[in-house]
Amino acid sequence: MQRVKNLGYDEDELYDNHDEYEQEDATAYTAEDKENFATLTPVIRAELDEAGVQVSDKDIEDALWHYYWDVGKSVSYLKNSRTPRLQQQSTEKSDKAKAKSKFDEAAERSAEKAVRTTMPPMFAADWFRNVSWTLVPSHVEGDLIPNEPVRPMPKLLGGSSKLAKLAEERRKKAATAAASQSESPAPNGSLSALERLSKPRDAKENEAPGPKVEPKKYPIRKKRDPTPPPREPTPPPPEPEEEKPDLRASPTAFGLALSTSPPCGLHPASMTLKDLLGSEVADDPFQGPSPDDTVLRAQQYSKGTPNKRRQSGVNGLAKKTEALKLNGTAASAPAQPKVRSRGLDVPKLWAEEKSRRKASAAFVVIGHVDHGKSTLMGRLLLDTGAVAQRDVDKYQKQATEMGKSSFALAWVMDTGTEERERGVTVDIAQHHFSTNSVDFTILDAPGHRDFVPNMIGGASMADMAVLVVDANQLESGMKGQTREHVLLAKAVGLKRIVVAVNKLDSTTPDAWSRSQFDGVKGEVLKFLRESGFAEQFVTVVPCSGLSGDNVAKAPKVSGPAAWVANTHPTLLKALEKSVIPDIDGATIRRPLRLQIADVFRGGVTNPVSVSGRISAGNAQTGDSVVVQPSGETATIKALEVNAEPCDYAFAGQICTLHLTDIDPIHLRTGDVVCAASHPVPVVKTFTAKIEALKSLLPQAMDVHLGRLHVAGGIKQLVSTVDSEGEVLKKKPRIVKAGQKAIVKVGVEDGVVVEVGDRVVLRAEGATVGFGVVDGTA
Ligand SMILES: Nc1nc2c(ncn2[C@@H]2O[C@H](COP(=O)(O)OP(=O)(O)OP(=O)(O)O)[C@@H](O)[C@H]2O)c(=O)[nH]1
């Protein structure tokens, strides 16, 4: 199974009952650790003796280890841990419920102290007092004298984990390494033990080369390898490096003063600003562009090169940062090379491979809430090998933990947390599975009425529908959502339906009651006939998604479902039979048109991707496209069909396009990707030939165009027509339920429609009409 939504599961996790992390052995102290203990323990002991605190060497070592050689914190902790534990005594009961570590207790006490500390008031002027400025005459020039900190630096006590400490240590290391590269002062023999230890280990090793010390093993929680990313499509040719001018502003005088180390031999307290900034700045502080000038220049540059800006947005932060490094020669920066088209003749390839290619079909799963749609599809995926038994076992375990064990198979389809928590399908889940003759895409639409727009979106991408009816709930199966779903399936133009009469394993009094199945089948066929479906396009199969009988495999000939084996095809066979390839060469040769069903962001190699069904034309790597209604252009960087990389895709396929040269803000669900040479116009009104399900007047309503739904309404009733399209009455005052009519539809925001597109009109949560666009002028 390949998921369009790029959700992957780490196979190793499937049977992992425990923690995802591993602990490394932390017991062994290295020679260096021991040396650190030997050096620091006396320092701490001296501090503690002064404060009258008695502790063992072991306690000191523990504290040093915990605080990663931070003497200050270790001393604080040890002092605090020896103070009376009043709070602990008073809350002994609650401590039993959730025991605090001694480190946490010490941290709390320390935090309390910190809050109570009274701080002297501090004013901004204090910072600038005595600070010379760039144009101050030398006779009034003062010294920059850093004061003692006006308030103590906040320190973490007890709350800092070794991991955090390690990160801090790494930062220090990097900073010191950078500093030592530019300037490496001679080792000072008078360095205190603390100073020596605060130096990075590498630096120390440089001072006195000796036997290589093994790095200390910390009890680091090591994360498992992440789930391997989905296979990337064929990578595009690497983009040549381009030279970018430097746009970075030099630091301000004040910033420099704050961040610059004192020159060798000068004590910070006696340093003047001139010492810090050098004569050049002091002589002419306004020489060169100001930071504002630099920013303005960068803005002007990016305004003048919109394409470049878009490319940097798509190609990631690194590129964007590079693009901002301008220095005035920006306008001459070379343009980003385009993804090259391979110049394939897709219609020709399509025709050549037609006989060899497996048929492909997408079906939408419809039916009332809880009639077992997701479970049935989970079963189908499991039994066709698209999902592994161990995956289902994992879901079974998780579902049982959440008290929803019967939903394990449904979870194969319902991957969103909300879907799992609520036990209902919220979005359209897409899954793929294959038989020997057909590649199928399942569009699992939400059964709940709150999500009908998603259902319309799913159905509009499908070739056929699978209607799931609970054999025990015929009442609801023929009412409510099922009725609306069936009408919507028809409204979006679906003709073929496979009906799965489900949950036959739980019919009463006998499981697999044949009479019950026959009764349900009769009702459903009648209902579908009345709804406008031709019987030759409807297949009804008995099955049980939960037990798997007659889904992909025929039931056992000896069990209660034996009668099914001889009389009905499995659901899978029925699906295969219903696939009628209806895409012709002319449709493939038309200009590209794909309505975006989903937008994906954030991949490293493919920062922005869209998926949807190609309704006309074809697409290949390197094609230029226009996204309507924004009118933004983009280039197809790579394509996937059935989540497999491929060089091209054509009408009828649901595919993913990885785009470049476009800012993701211009891509929304419901937008249309068109061939750059033939962008579909954006309109605010169009006429449609519709069938009324309720009485219609010129009125406000929701206008659904596939995956897009926008506010709008009927602006004008043009005429009523008969089934042949002949005008019965012009400008009627009302169109009654069951009548057909030509109406003028208006929408608030421009939409992309073409003659022949399907439109569904809904008002107050109900579908009131549907039809086909027949004019956009
Ligand atoms: N006995 C029995 N129970 C089933 C069968 N199929 C599904 N169920 C149960 O019916 C309940 C609903 O199943 P789902 O698959 O979530 O139903 P759904 O139609 O997808 O529901 P929505 O996603 O909310 O539309 C779960 O408890 C399933 O275990 C079946 O064939 N037999």
Side-chain angles (χ1 to χ4, degrees):
M1 178 194 66
Q2 301 285 349
R3 290 184 52 75
V4 168
K5 282 202 164 186
N6 287 345
L7 290 168
Y9 301 95
D10 187 342
E11 293 212 332
D12 292 342
E13 291 176 358
L14 297 177
Y15 288 107
D16 192 350
N17 295 342
H18 307 292
D19 199 340
E20 291 185 356
Y21 301 92
E22 289 167 3
Q23 297 278 338
E24 285 188 0
D25 177 30
T27 52
Y29 291 135
T30 64
E32 192 188 3
D33 297 333
K34 287 175 187 164
E35 190 197 333
N36 290 348
F37 284 139
T39 315
L40 295 179
T41 305
V43 178
I44 292 182
R45 181 161 298 293
E47 288 271 341
L48 294 176
D49 286 346
E50 214 173 277
V53 176
Q54 294 298 315
V55 291
S56 69
D57 280 1
K58 176 80 175 56
D59 287 346
I60 295 177
E61 284 178 12
D62 281 350
L64 279 169
W65 181 250
H66 182 78
Y67 290 113
Y68 196 65
W69 317 122
D70 188 321
V71 171
K73 286 180 183 172
S74 302
V75 170
S76 300
Y77 158 67
L78 289 165
K79 280 182 185 171
N80 281 313
S81 65
R82 264 57 194 172
T83 55
R85 301 187 174 190
L86 292 173
Q87 196 185 347
Q88 192 182 11
Q89 284 162 12
S90 65
T91 58
E92 209 173 275
K93 234 180 181 178
S94 64
D95 281 355
K96 268 184 191 167
K98 191 183 174 191
K100 283 178 191 161
S101 76
K102 53 190 180 178
F103 296 102
D104 291 338
E105 290 163 12
E108 279 173 14
R109 279 193 295 276
S110 170
E112 280 167 24
K113 274 186 195 169
V115 170
R116 285 194 295 269
T117 308
T118 44
M119 288 183 288
M122 189 178 73
F123 302 100
D126 294 339
W127 283 97
F128 297 95
R129 189 167 299 140
N130 293 332
V131 174
S132 62
W133 203 240
T134 49
L135 284 180
V136 177
S138 58
H139 66 279
V140 291
E141 190 176 301
D143 291 338
L144 179 64
I145 302 171
N147 290 324
E148 285 300 306
V150 290
R151 53 180 166 185
M153 286 290 286
K155 287 202 174 187
L156 284 174
L157 183 59
S160 92
S161 71
K162 282 209 173 66
L163 207 56
K165 192 64 208 170
L166 196 65
E168 191 187 323
E169 180 66 13
R170 277 203 202 106
R171 277 197 299 278
K172 273 191 203 162
K173 237 185 206 179
T176 321
S180 66
Q181 263 183 10
S182 58
E183 189 183 349
S184 44
N188 185 347
S190 65
L191 279 177
S192 71
L194 273 177
E195 283 169 320
R196 268 191 284 121
L197 284 165
S198 69
K199 279 172 73 70
R201 213 164 286 168
D202 294 349
K204 193 176 167 188
E205 280 165 10
N206 287 342
E207 280 169 31
K212 196 172 181 315
V213 181
E214 276 296 304
K216 177 161 27 133
K217 289 194 170 181
Y218 300 105
I220 301 165
R221 303 192 108 214
K222 201 168 101 188
K223 185 119 178 58
R224 282 174 177 277
D225 286 339
T227 305
R231 257 173 75 189
E232 292 295 346
T234 322
E239 289 160 349
E241 285 288 319
E242 56 178 313
E243 279 201 7
K244 306 257 173 38
D246 194 348
L247 223 207
R248 286 170 300 184
S250 50
T252 60
F254 186 64
L256 201 63
L258 289 178
S259 61
T260 309
S261 322
C264 257
L266 268 183
H267 189 273
S270 61
M271 232 170 33
T272 65
L273 199 62
K274 201 167 177 178
D275 294 324
L276 279 171
L277 306 176
S279 58
E280 201 185 320
V281 178
D283 291 346
D284 183 3
F286 297 106
Q287 192 187 40
S290 71
D292 282 355
D293 291 342
T294 313
V295 170
L296 276 174
R297 208 163 50 204
Q299 285 171 348
Q300 274 162 8
Y301 167 73
S302 42
K303 263 185 207 154
T305 53
N307 277 340
K308 188 122 194 80
R309 195 154 36 119
R310 281 204 296 274
Q311 280 164 7
S312 72
V314 169
N315 293 337
L317 190 59
K319 262 203 161 149
K320 205 164 189 172
T321 315
E322 280 298 305
L324 283 170
K325 292 180 186 172
L326 306 172
N327 68 1
T329 57
S332 61
Q336 193 77 265
K338 294 272 178 198
V339 181
R340 258 195 240 130
S341 170
R342 295 181 58 186
L344 302 174
D345 185 345
V346 178
K348 194 171 163 214
L349 288 169
W350 172 82
E352 281 170 6
E353 292 174 8
K354 199 174 165 190
S355 55
R356 294 197 295 274
R357 191 183 306 114
K358 265 189 202 179
S360 63
F363 60 86
V364 63
V365 192
I366 59 176
H368 198 71
V369 65
D370 277 353
H371 277 217
K373 300 182 293 297
S374 297
T375 304
L376 187 61
M377 293 305 114
R379 168 62 65 184
L380 203 50
L381 291 168
L382 177 64
D383 289 356
T384 53
V387 68
Q389 178 66 50
R390 58 191 304 208
D391 288 20
V392 177
D393 290 349
K394 183 190 174 187
Y395 298 139
Q396 183 70 63
K397 197 171 127 282
Q398 292 173 344
T400 309
E401 277 165 16
M402 285 177 71
K404 296 175 183 292
S405 62
S406 68
F407 285 91
L409 273 168
W411 280 13
V412 173
M413 302 292 289
D414 300 340
T415 45
T417 313
E418 189 189 357
E419 294 174 9
R420 289 184 176 186
E421 279 169 5
R422 291 176 57 184
V424 297
T425 307
V426 175
D427 205 346
I428 306 161
Q430 291 183 34
H431 294 261
H432 305 285
F433 68 93
S434 294
T435 66
N436 289 337
S437 56
V438 188
D439 285 329
F440 283 105
T441 300
I442 305 174
L443 302 158
D444 184 33
H448 199 277
R449 61 179 304 118
D450 292 352
F451 308 112
V452 168
N454 286 350
M455 193 266 144
I456 297 174
S460 64
M461 292 200 293
D463 297 289
M464 57 183 164
V466 170
L467 169 61
V468 181
V469 181
D470 183 343
N472 309 290
Q473 307 263 345
L474 185 60
E475 265 301 277
S476 63
M478 293 297 100
K479 282 191 197 161
Q481 292 309 114
T482 301
R483 186 168 286 272
E484 180 155 33
H485 280 185
V486 167
L487 287 176
L488 290 173
K490 185 172 173 241
V492 298
L494 298 182
K495 291 193 175 71
R496 284 163 278 152
I497 288 201
V498 176
V499 182
V501 178
N502 196 28
K503 303 198 188 182
L504 275 165
D505 61 299
S506 60
T507 53
T508 47
D510 301 316
W512 290 93
S513 161
R514 186 167 186 170
S515 58
Q516 195 158 333
F517 167 73
D518 287 338
V520 172
K521 179 181 174 180
E523 288 295 319
V524 173
L525 283 176
K526 182 165 165 260
F527 167 66
L528 290 177
R529 225 178 9 252
E530 287 166 3
S531 306
F533 285 91
E535 215 158 298
Q536 75 260 34
F537 293 130
V538 179
T539 314
V540 184
V541 291
C543 62
S544 163
L546 203 59
S547 70
D549 285 318
N550 213 40
V551 178
K553 300 170 193 161
K556 285 187 200 127
V557 284
S558 54
W563 59 270
V564 175
N566 304 323
T567 51
H568 290 82
T570 62
L571 175 62
L572 191 59
K573 280 269 173 280
L575 285 169
E576 284 182 318
K577 274 191 202 159
S578 301
V579 175
I580 304 166
D582 53 3
I583 296 291
D584 54 20
T587 310
I588 306 278
R589 278 189 293 276
R590 279 173 53 196
L592 172 70
R593 205 182 152 212
L594 174 149
Q595 189 183 41
I596 297 175
D598 220 336
V599 181
F600 311 87
R601 295 182 192 199
V604 176
T605 27
N606 300 305
V608 60
S609 312
V610 297
S611 74
R613 183 186 172 103
I614 300 182
S615 56
N618 61 80
Q620 61 178 294
T621 309
D623 275 357
S624 285
V625 293
V626 169
V627 180
Q628 291 285 60
S630 72
E632 292 289 320
T633 56
T635 306
I636 299 174
K637 189 178 154 200
L639 294 104
E640 284 176 45
V641 174
N642 289 345
E644 291 290 337
C646 54
D647 294 327
Y648 63 90
F650 46 80
Q653 290 185 314
I654 294 177
C655 68
T656 299
L657 305 180
H658 301 298
L659 299 177
T660 183
D661 302 343
I662 190 163
D663 191 318
I665 59 166
H666 300 302
L667 299 166
R668 291 169 311 175
T669 299
D671 287 356
V672 177
V673 179
C674 321
S677 53
H678 292 82
V680 185
V682 179
V683 297
K684 282 199 159 188
T685 56
F686 58 89
T687 53
K689 184 180 164 190
I690 56 149
E691 186 175 330
L693 297 173
K694 293 197 171 166
S695 295
L696 298 178
L697 295 165
Q699 63 189 101
M701 50 186 69
D702 287 334
V703 179
H704 294 252
L705 295 154
R707 199 72 166 96
L708 181 71
H709 55 107
V710 289
I714 295 179
K715 287 177 84 174
Q716 191 187 334
L717 302 174
V718 180
S719 61
T720 50
V721 293
D722 65 15
S723 47
E724 305 301 322
E726 292 298 321
V727 175
L728 296 175
K729 187 177 180 187
K730 285 189 177 170
K731 294 189 180 172
R733 289 172 63 192
I734 188 168
V735 175
K736 292 190 186 133
Q739 281 189 322
K740 293 185 173 66
I742 306 284
V743 296
K744 193 178 234 177
V745 179
V747 285
E748 281 176 14
D749 298 319
V751 293
V752 184
V753 283
E754 281 184 300
V755 172
D757 283 355
R758 294 270 163 181
V759 57
V760 178
L761 303 173
R762 282 172 61 82
E764 291 163 6
T767 304
V768 294
F770 62 88
V772 181
V773 175
D774 79 343
T776 56

